[in-house]
Amino acid sequence: MSARPEVLFPLFAALTSLEGVGPKTAQNMGGLGVEKPRDLLFLLPFSGIDRTLKETVQGADLPATLTVEVEVGQHRPPRNKGGAYRIDVIDSQIAFQLVFFHARGDYLSKLLPTGQRRVVSGKVELFDGLAQMVHPDHTVRVEDAEQIPSFEPVYPLTAGVTQKPLSKSIASALERVPQLDEWIDSTQKDLKKWPDWQAAIKTVHAPKSIGDLAQTVPARERLAYDEFMAHQLTLGLARANRRRAPGVESHGSGTLRNQVLSGLPYKPTGAQLRAIDEITADLASPQRMNRLLQGDVGSGKTLVAFMALLAVVEAGGQGVMMAPTEILARQHLEGLQPLAESAGVVLELLTGRDKGREREAKLSALKEKKIQILVGTHAVFQKDVEFSDLRLAIVDEQHRFGVRQRLELGRKGENADVLVMTATPIPRSLALAQYGDMDVSVLDEKPAGRQPIKTALISDERVNEVVSHLRGAINEGRQAYWVCPLVGESEVSDLIAAEERFKTLRALLGDDVVRLVHGQMPPSEKDAAMADFVAGRVQVLVATTVIEVGVNVPNATIMVIERAESFGLAQLHQLRGRVGRGSAASTCLLMYKAPLSENGQKRLTVLRETEDGFQISETDLQMRGAGDLIGTAQSGLPRFRVADLESQTALMDVAQSDARKLLHDDPKLTSARGKAARVLLWLMEQDQAIRLISVG
C-alpha cells in the first residue's frame, strides 16, 4: 500500500495540533464532520457579514450589524447581581450604549477606558427607543481598525462550536496549506482561469463580498472540479480494474435469438437493436461486462435482457435474472416463459417460497446445467445456490441494489458479466456520479403500437365525476388503479387514507369490483390481490404506492392518483407507466387538493406535458435536489463538500472525460500529472482508488 505523501502530513495531523483547539473543541467539531485540519479547509463559508467602517449608527435600518468609531463615555455597572453592565458611547452623530452581561468591570475598564476612542463592531438594536450594541463582536483601538475584516465570512456551526474560535482554527489550518503540483489539465485550467489549489483554498476563505460566495467564482469552481475529478478517477480506476479482471468470452451463434425474434408480432425498435448489439459485443469480449441498461417505462428492456440471456445460453453457459420482489420475479417469468419455450430453453423461478424437496430439485438441476436461465429474488444469493457455468447476471431495478450486491452476484459465477436494468430514468449528472464506472445503454424509443397516455389534472372536489368516469370504463370491461396519497411520514396514516377510499369506492361500485393492497399486508395476501387484478377477477385496485415498479396489466387503462401533489415527479411518472401497456388508449388522472403551491403546479404541469422520463427526471432533480431524488441514505451517492451535483453537471461531465483521458494515457499514474493526481486522491481520501493503483 503506498503511503500518504509527506506534503499532506500537516493536513492529516490531529485537530488539537491547531492553535486554540483543545480536546473538547476537537470533539465538538465532529458535529461538523471535521476530524482533521484538512476537513476545516473544505468547510466553506456560506454567508458573510459586512463590517465596513460607517460614520454613524444614526439612520441605519436596525437591527443591523455595524462598525463605527466611538468615544467611550461613562461606565454604568449593574445595580444588582446578574444585571447588565452598560457603557455610554458616542459616534460622530449619536449617543448609544454598549451592553454586557456577566461582565467583569476591571476587564471592561481596560478594554474601553472612558475618554478614549475605539472602533466597535456588532449587532445594533433598538431597545426602549435607545440604540444598543450587546456584546460587540470586535473592540479595537483606532490604529488597529484594519484587524476587523471589512467582510467577515460566516461558517456553519454545531453545538459547542462558535464563530470566533472556528474562524481562528480555520486560519491556523490555512497556514499549513502546501503548494501542490497541478493535476488539472492545463488547457482546461487556462480556459476557466482557475487559480492553483493553494490559492483557491486561501481565496474561498477570504471573501470580499457576498458575490465571492457564489459557486461560479473561479476558486470555488476549481475546488468543486477537484472533488468531481477525484471521484471520477476513483470510478475510472475501478472500471479499469474490472476490465483487467478476465471475463469469459461468450460467442453466441444467434440461432435461439433469431428463432425468438422471428416469432415476435412486432419489430424491435432501433434503440432495442442498438442495445442488443452493445451487450452482445461486451459478452463476446475477454473483459467482464459491467453495463447499465436504462430505459423509460415501457421501452422494452425485458426483450433486450432476454436476448442477452439467450446469447450466453447459445454459447453453452447459464444466465440469472434478479428482481427486487417476488411479484416482479413472477412477472418476468410469465413474460419470458413463452419466449423461452419457443426457443426450447429451460427457464425456472427461484424465490424464498421454494422449500424442501422442490427447492432441492431446482438446485440440483441448476448445478447440472439442466436449468439454463434462472429468474429469482435475492434468494439466488444464498450459499447453497450453485450454477454449473454462470456467464451473465442481470439485476433489475438498480436503486434497491448497491455496489456491494453487484459484486456478490458476480462472485456466483467467476467473472460473470453483469447487466443492470433500471426503469427509473436517471439524470445525467447522477448517472455520472453513481454509475460512472459502468457503460450505459439507453432505450429512448417507445415500441410501435404503444398509445400515448392522456394525462389530466383535476381538483379533488370533482371526485364524483372521476367515479362516474370509472363506472363507465368498468362497464366496458376496463380495469383501473386508484393510488392513495402519501399522508405523512408513517405508513399507518397512509393506510387509513387508503382504507377510507377503499370503503367509499366499494360502496359506490360494488363489493366484488374493488380490492385493496398496501405495504402492511403479509406478502401472500398482497400477491393474491395483485394476482386477482392481473387475472381480471377484480376491476379496481386501490393501492398505496406498492404498485410502483414493474407490474404489467395490459387491460388496465385508467390510473387515478389522489393528492398527486404530494408525490415526487419521478414517482408519478413511474405510476403513470403502469397504464398504457395494451393497445387501448389510457388515461392518468392527477387529482390534487386546491390551492396548489407553485412547485406543485410546476410538477404536475411537466407531467401533463411530457412522457419523456429523462426530461422529467432532469426537472425533478432541479426541483428537489439529488439527496431527495434517490434518498441520500441508501443512494450510494458520494457526498461532496464543495461541489453540487444539481447545478454543476457540466463540470462533472468535463471531469469524467478528463479522468478517463488521464487514465487512458497514464493508467498507473506515474507521469508528472499522474503523480499530482495521486496526491489529489490522498487529499480527497479516495482510499479505494489508492488501493487500486497500488495493486495495479
Side-chain angles (χ1 to χ4, degrees):
M1 175 85 211
S2 59
R4 176 179 293 127
E6 209 167 309
V7 67
L8 296 179
F9 285 1
L11 301 184
F12 285 81
L15 272 178
T16 45
S17 65
L18 293 172
E19 197 186 329
V21 181
K24 187 91 182 88
T25 310
Q27 194 184 343
N28 289 339
M29 280 185 181
L32 289 166
V34 171
E35 288 162 11
K36 50 199 162 312
R38 169 227 175 257
D39 303 335
L40 283 169
L41 300 179
F42 292 106
L43 185 73
L44 302 196
F46 66 91
S47 155
I49 299 167
D50 179 3
R51 292 198 191 273
T52 37
L53 191 61
K54 300 277 189 285
E55 274 291 296
T56 174
V57 167
Q58 174 113 12
D61 192 5
L62 302 182
T65 299
L66 298 169
T67 307
V68 286
E69 185 182 324
V70 295
E71 185 177 315
V72 183
Q74 192 182 351
H75 282 233
R76 306 171 184 274
R79 293 202 194 93
N80 46 16
K81 199 171 181 306
Y85 189 113
R86 298 167 188 277
I87 303 175
D88 294 333
V89 294
I90 186 163
D91 64 24
S92 65
Q93 294 181 24
I94 189 177
F96 61 100
Q97 282 188 334
L98 305 180
V99 181
F100 298 85
F101 294 97
H102 315 296
R104 296 198 323 276
D106 53 345
Y107 166 73
L108 286 177
S109 47
K110 274 202 196 99
L111 185 69
L112 291 149
T114 301
Q116 293 212 9
R117 300 189 74 77
R118 290 287 183 268
V119 175
V120 291
S121 181
K123 191 174 184 183
V124 181
E125 298 183 73
L126 275 182
F127 192 74
D128 284 343
L130 184 68
Q132 296 187 339
M133 186 185 284
V134 181
H135 287 279
D137 303 319
H138 300 271
T139 305
V140 298
R141 294 166 182 271
V142 178
E143 58 271 25
D144 300 331
E146 73 280 354
Q147 283 179 11
I148 302 177
S150 57
F151 184 80
E152 187 173 34
V154 174
Y155 291 95
L157 300 175
T158 183
V161 179
T162 53
Q163 218 44 256
K164 232 176 184 171
L166 180 63
S167 301
K168 204 166 170 182
S169 53
I170 289 173
S172 174
L174 284 168
E175 285 168 14
R176 305 183 169 194
V177 172
Q179 187 72 55
L180 300 176
D181 291 335
E182 190 53 79
W183 48 77
I184 295 180
D185 176 66
S186 56
T187 30
Q188 168 69 11
K189 191 180 161 197
D190 297 345
L191 176 76
K192 290 289 204 171
K193 302 193 171 51
W194 284 339
D196 291 345
W197 182 77
Q198 184 189 47
I201 282 284
K202 292 189 165 170
T203 307
V204 293
H205 287 286
K208 302 274 184 288
S209 69
I210 277 289
D212 289 347
L213 303 173
Q215 268 177 342
T216 47
V217 299
R220 279 204 179 217
E221 198 173 62
R222 186 230 145 101
L223 296 177
Y225 186 79
D226 291 341
E227 280 189 301
F228 284 155
M229 177 86 181
H231 176 63
Q232 288 299 331
L233 277 171
T234 304
L235 289 175
L237 285 162
R239 185 167 180 247
N241 196 46
R242 214 174 359 254
R243 296 201 149 171
R244 274 204 303 275
V248 180
E249 295 184 34
S250 299
H251 297 277
S253 59
T255 47
L256 299 176
R257 283 170 286 171
N258 293 337
Q259 224 166 316
V260 171
L261 286 174
S262 61
L264 289 177
Y266 54 85
K267 272 184 64 154
T269 63
Q272 283 176 309
L273 293 170
R274 188 176 63 232
I276 292 169
D277 287 347
E278 290 168 346
I279 293 164
T280 41
D282 278 0
L283 292 172
S285 92
Q287 283 110 10
R288 279 180 74 174
M289 169 167 79
N290 189 33
R291 187 172 280 279
L292 176 71
L293 176 62
Q294 241 191 317
D296 210 344
V297 186
S299 56
K301 287 181 296 296
T302 317
L303 179 69
V304 174
F306 191 60
M307 288 294 128
L309 289 164
L310 287 182
V312 294
V313 173
E314 288 167 2
Q318 291 169 298
V320 63
M321 184 160 178
M322 281 198 44
T325 64
E326 184 153 343
I327 287 184
L328 281 175
R330 287 189 183 282
Q331 222 157 12
H332 282 313
L333 179 78
E334 283 156 23
L336 298 178
Q337 196 83 58
L339 297 176
E341 279 167 11
S342 74
V345 170
V346 183
L347 180 106
E348 198 46 89
L349 177 74
L350 183 71
T351 70
R353 277 203 215 167
D354 290 309
K355 299 277 189 285
R357 279 203 188 140
E358 196 181 339
R359 181 179 159 90
E360 277 165 31
K362 281 185 185 178
L363 294 184
S364 72
L366 195 63
K367 211 168 167 178
E368 292 161 22
K369 214 195 269 191
K370 288 181 181 152
I371 293 173
Q372 291 154 301
I373 297 175
L374 185 67
V375 173
T377 54
H378 49 238
V380 305
F381 273 148
Q382 287 158 348
K383 286 240 173 17
D384 56 352
V385 179
E386 289 177 53
F387 292 82
S388 155
D389 180 11
L390 177 64
R391 304 271 188 98
L392 172 63
I394 297 183
V395 182
D396 191 10
E397 279 309 323
Q398 165 66 18
H399 54 260
R400 322 221 171 155
F401 241 79
V403 179
R404 200 185 71 242
Q405 284 99 330
R406 293 210 288 255
L407 294 173
E408 265 179 58
L409 195 59
R411 283 194 202 105
K412 284 277 176 211
E414 281 310 305
N415 323 335
D417 287 319
V418 177
L419 178 68
V420 173
M421 298 202 303
T422 171
T424 315
I426 304 157
R428 179 143 173 73
S429 56
L430 297 192
L432 282 173
Q434 208 172 3
Y435 310 116
D437 60 329
M438 303 177 84
D439 297 301
V440 182
S441 295
V442 177
L443 297 179
D444 47 13
E445 300 171 47
K446 276 227 164 68
R450 282 282 168 120
Q451 297 263 16
I453 302 167
K454 183 172 179 274
T455 303
L457 309 187
I458 186 164
S459 155
D460 60 8
E461 290 154 6
R462 296 167 58 191
V463 66
N464 296 339
E465 289 173 46
V466 176
V467 174
S468 63
H469 177 68
L470 210 56
R471 193 179 281 118
I474 292 166
N475 293 339
E476 289 172 11
R478 303 257 169 254
Q479 289 171 281
Y481 295 96
W482 190 299
V483 178
C484 289
L486 290 160
V487 179
E489 286 302 299
S490 80
E491 287 185 10
V492 183
S493 46
D494 290 355
L495 179 55
I496 294 167
E499 282 174 338
E500 287 301 306
R501 180 53 69 204
F502 171 60
K503 282 179 196 150
T504 53
L505 287 177
R506 206 171 51 174
L508 292 165
L509 301 170
D511 282 359
D512 47 357
V513 175
V514 191
R515 277 293 273 284
L516 173 67
V517 283
H518 56 77
Q520 307 275 322
M521 282 179 163
S524 55
E525 279 182 40
K526 212 182 328 191
D527 289 359
M530 293 298 272
D532 281 348
F533 186 63
V534 172
R537 293 187 282 273
V538 178
Q539 280 66 47
V540 180
L541 191 67
V542 174
T544 52
T545 51
V546 291
I547 59 160
E548 204 178 325
V549 189
V551 218
N552 193 9
V553 184
N555 191 41
T557 58
I558 296 177
M559 167 64 73
V560 180
I561 304 175
E562 207 170 334
R563 293 300 295 273
E565 76 277 8
S566 65
F567 293 93
L569 253 177
Q571 203 176 16
L572 289 169
H573 177 64
Q574 288 288 320
L575 287 166
R576 171 170 65 182
R578 300 296 115 229
V579 296
R581 293 179 159 252
S583 51
S586 295
T587 316
C588 173
L589 296 175
L590 303 173
M591 280 170 67
Y592 63 87
K593 187 175 178 61
L596 270 178
S597 69
E598 191 183 335
N599 245 352
Q601 177 83 41
K602 185 175 169 189
R603 279 216 299 271
L604 300 185
T605 313
V606 166
L607 210 68
R608 181 176 63 196
E609 285 165 8
T610 179
E611 279 189 63
D612 176 348
F614 288 93
Q615 194 182 328
I616 287 170
S617 73
E618 291 288 353
T619 311
D620 205 12
L621 177 65
Q622 287 158 13
M623 293 179 71
R624 292 203 299 163
D628 293 343
L629 202 63
I630 34 188
T632 310
Q634 56 0 324
S635 68
L637 267 186
R639 287 199 169 82
F640 295 120
R641 289 225 154 167
V642 184
D644 175 58
L645 269 178
E646 286 98 272
S647 58
Q648 296 182 306
T649 319
L651 215 52
M652 172 73 101
D653 261 347
V654 180
Q656 187 193 40
S657 57
D658 195 11
R660 285 197 173 180
K661 182 173 185 316
L662 176 59
L663 290 172
H664 175 269
D665 299 345
D666 179 15
K668 297 213 161 83
L669 298 181
T670 48
S671 65
R673 188 177 163 214
K675 286 182 179 143
R678 285 173 177 247
V679 174
L680 168 70
L681 291 169
W682 278 107
L683 178 68
M684 294 302 182
E685 304 186 280
Q686 296 286 349
D687 303 8
Q688 178 193 355
I690 292 158
R691 274 198 300 278
L692 289 170
I693 328 175
S694 15
V695 174

